[in-house]
């Protein structure tokens, strides 16, 4: 039996795995046993990866659209024909409108260097990732306070003494290593506090659980800061050394007492005080998680910012058990991977989404997808006519899918690169089917961490169908478009290119699939931290924000409450599925074929709805029905669904027609976004619920 060390591809976390291969087939999959925090385990989705291989309901060969967009009439073609076709269409678009008319969006993550380089090589600045629909507010909040990216610090759960999960359901929105580290800490006496609008699995494991009114977290957090400062519970030495503008913060939070917050959040004032005192006792070994899917409200940026301010007041930045700074290769005296992006000069054209020029306060890197779509819709600042959705399904992941379809109708070319069907692939002109993660290798990647390392995704088995690896697809397009630098002979040549000058060889990955760049985890000296803000300190009043005429300390403004008979539509994840792309997986579908609508018991009773009844969900004349899950464990103002259901594609026989798609109940949602953090405000929508015909 051959052991292949690789990387899971069932969600964005990308856990290290070990595939046991016998006779060209996967005999077993498990967490890489060389990584202690994996404990040999995988989450249910990781374990179900094998079901992807022979799944006849995924794209199996390159396809070119025959009928109208979305009609589902395809012509199966050879790779040569598909790549020639895409290259020819791209050449026409570039001849007519320039390279900037080509855009590419992806799911972000460690394996994007090659396709990003390809787009840059063409001369287009229009790379965006999915983050406007996910963690952009967190990123911008972290940048505004520390000058560092959100991933420049680790969540050191293993050594924490108190973990707070707010807008973060860590035990269902799973990262296997984080779950195991937190479980280990809890066994050693770490406290867990959860602040959520419903009793998630994480809430059921908490020592302390606050069920708050949806969208009131900012009030909760301002009261926490109030108590930390008024009761002198914050780390004074740390604040003097590292936090700029403490007097401004103290003045700002004066009115935000726990009693005031209770009227907004529903959280008892004395309980909140006791919680804050306990938290301070555990400092600095505390992690108040800033949230991950924090694209919820138009003020979510300030919620994330308040969380980071709390972490700072507790001295958690840079602390073991808190938010220590991660190390890049250079921090441990090593050289990083050579990049493909650096083979080409940065395009000088302004970005179509306006990031970096129209909006000076946003981080330029991955842009904002919804603003790119806006540019496609209006030709402002210029036409964008070709779009490659690379591992990205905006028609399921963004609000207003019908409007997005009209926007995509304005394109001359829409290409989907994907291993599964998706609403976007179905609407595309060309589908380039990627091999599944078990059938392909990826470019090498580097993980910045306390102990940074390089890692590899190896091919475990040969592709079942006529699908290809990313490097083959990108290389094929590069060859046709005059970018020989990105056209490699094979994956070995790619890996060798990346490893040049690092002192690491391709063979070094054989033993475990990873190459550590340091002997042990390295914590920086907490007495000598350096933040990357203009002042070098944690900036409560941010120079960058103020320069862009944005207030750093935003007063609290309550969100409108749902009108009588209506509810705030909220959503989240479950442990059995990843976004929209696993619902049709035979193994996972079997365990959870549909989502249900969580409703509060009293609210349901008022509507005559009992647990298990079908209810109608309506907004602006659009309606769907779904089964109600009636429970005390959700705030009465909210209804909740697991995101990713409500598939309609005929090629997905299992998922089709099961459950409800939350993004169809977000009228006007593409224009509803956080002006400071940049992300979509997905939870500013109300729906009407009524009992459906239950026959
Ligand atoms: N199993 C699984 N794991 C995943 C994923 C997956 O699809 N499946 N996706 C990955 C991705 S891309 C992401 S971004 C992360 C997301 O990770 P999380 O952000 O942790 O997951 P969510 O379930 O979206 O949201 C967390 C919690 O926020 C709560 N919530 C909603 N509104 C409010 C509010 O106003 N206030 C408060 N306090 N709580 C609120 C929800 O009830 C939910 O329990 O998960 C990652 N891991
Ligand atoms: N209404 C609503 N909208 C949401 C959310 C929500 O909870 N509710 N969640 C938001 C969040 S947190 C996120 S992260 C986004 C997620 O939305 P997306 O970023 O679109 O992510 P996925 O659904 O994970 O993957 C998109 C497509 O890429 C394919 N794919 C998966 N892995 C790979 C790969 O390795 N390579 C390639 N080429 N293709 C791959 C999948 O099969 C799928 O078709 O959606 C956001 N949108
Ligand atoms: S969390 Fe689960 S699905 Fe995601 S990478 Fe890890 S094992 Fe795979
Ligand atoms: Mo996400």
């Amino acid at each position: 039996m051959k052991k292949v060390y690789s990387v899971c591809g069932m969600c964005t976390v990308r856990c290290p795995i070990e595939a046991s291969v016998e006779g060209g087939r996967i005999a077993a999959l498990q967490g890489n046993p060389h990584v202690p925090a994996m404990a040999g385990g995988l989450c249910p989705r990781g374990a179900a990866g094998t079901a992807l291989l022979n799944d006849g309901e995924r794209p199996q060969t390159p396809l070119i659209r025959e009928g109208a967009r979305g009609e589902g009439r395809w012509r199966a073609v050879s790779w040569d024909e598909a790549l020639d076709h895409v290259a020819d269409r791209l050449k026409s678009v570039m001849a007519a409108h320039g390279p900037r008319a080509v855009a590419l969006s992806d799911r972000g993550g460690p394996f994007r260097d090659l396709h990003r380089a390809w787009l840059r090589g063409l001369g287009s600045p229009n790379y965006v990732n999915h983050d406007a629909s996910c963690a952009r507010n967190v990123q911008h909040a972290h940048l505004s306070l520390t000058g560092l990216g959100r991933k420049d610090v680790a969540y050191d759960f293993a050594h924490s003494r108190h973990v707070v999960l707010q807008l973060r359901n860590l035990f269902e929105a799973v990262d296997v290593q984080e779950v195991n580290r937190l479980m280990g800490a809890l066994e050693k006496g770490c406290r867990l506090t959860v602040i959520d609008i419903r009793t998630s699995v994480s809430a059921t494991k908490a020592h302390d659980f606050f069920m708050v009114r949806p969208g009131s977290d900012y009030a909760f957090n301002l009261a926490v800061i109030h108590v930390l400062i008024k009761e002198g519970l914050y780390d004074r030495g740390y604040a003097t050394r590292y936090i700029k503008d403490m007097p401004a913060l103290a003045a700002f939070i004066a009115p935000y007492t726990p009693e005031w917050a209770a009227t907004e959040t529903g959280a008892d004032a004395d309980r909140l005080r006791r919680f804050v005192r306990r938290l301070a006792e555990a400092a600095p070994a505390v992690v108040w998680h800033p949230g991950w899917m924090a694209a919820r409200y138009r003020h979510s940026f300030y919620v994330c910012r308040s969380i980071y301010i709390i972490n700072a007041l507790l001295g958690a930045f840079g602390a073991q058990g808190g938010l220590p700074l991660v190390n890049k290769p250079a921090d441990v005296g090593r050289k990083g991977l050579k990049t493909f992006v650096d083979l080409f000069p940065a395009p000088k054209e302004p970005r179509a989404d306006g990031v970096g020029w129209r909006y000076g306060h946003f981080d330029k890197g991955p842009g904002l997808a919804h603003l790119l779509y806006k540019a496609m819709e209006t030709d402002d600042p210029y036409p964008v006519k070709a779009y490659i959705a690379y591992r990205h399904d905006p028609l399921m992941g963004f609000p207003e899918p019908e409007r997005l379809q009209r926007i995509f109708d304005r394109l001359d070319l829409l290409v989907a690169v994907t291993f599964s069907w998706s609403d976007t692939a179905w609407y595309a002109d060309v589908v380039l089917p990627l091999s599944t993660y078990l059938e392909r290798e990826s470019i090498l990647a580097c993980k910045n961490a306390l102990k940074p390392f390089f890692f590899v995704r190896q091919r475990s088995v040969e592709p079942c169908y006529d699908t290809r690896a990313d490097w083959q697809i990108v290389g094929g397009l590069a060859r046709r478009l005059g970018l020989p630098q990105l056209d490699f002979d094979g994956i070995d040549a790619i890996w060798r290119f990346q490893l040049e000058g690092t002192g690491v060889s391709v063979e070094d990955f054989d033993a475990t699939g990873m190459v550590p760049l340091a002997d042990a985890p390295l914590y920086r000296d907490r007495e000598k931290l350096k933040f990357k803000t203009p002042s070098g300190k944690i900036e409560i009043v941010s120079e960058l924000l103020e320069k862009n005429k944005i207030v750093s300390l935003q007063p609290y403004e309550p969100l409108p409450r749902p009108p009588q008979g209506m509810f705030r539509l909220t959503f989240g994840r479950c442990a059995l599925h990843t976004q929209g792309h696993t619902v049709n997986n035979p193994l996972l579908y079997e365990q959870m074929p549909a989502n249900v609508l969580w409703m509060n018991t009293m609210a349901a009773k008022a509507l005559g709805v009992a647990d298990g009844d079908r209810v109608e969900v309506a907004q602006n004349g659009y309606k769907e029905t779904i089964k109600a899950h009636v429970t005390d464990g959700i705030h009465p103002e909210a209804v909740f669904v697991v995101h990713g259901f409500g598939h309609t594609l005929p090629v997905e026989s299992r998922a089709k027609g099961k459950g409800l798609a939350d993004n169809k109940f977000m009228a006007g949602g593409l224009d509803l976004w956080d002006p400071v953090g940049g992300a979509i405000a997905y939870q500013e929508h109300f729906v009407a619920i009524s009992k459906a015909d239950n026959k």
Side-chain angles (χ1 to χ4, degrees), residues 282-305:
V286 293
V287 177
W288 187 313
H289 199 289
W292 187 347
M293 203 295 176
R296 304 218 184 227
Y297 305 106
R298 269 173 291 183
H299 70 290
S300 286
F301 167 86
Y302 288 107
V303 178
C304 297
R305 206 164 192 269

Side-chain angles (χ1 to χ4, degrees), residues 350-369:
R351 299 178 54 97
D353 59 12
V355 170
W357 58 280
R358 194 173 271 167
Y359 308 101
H361 57 296
F362 293 140
D363 172 27
K364 253 191 271 184
L368 290 169

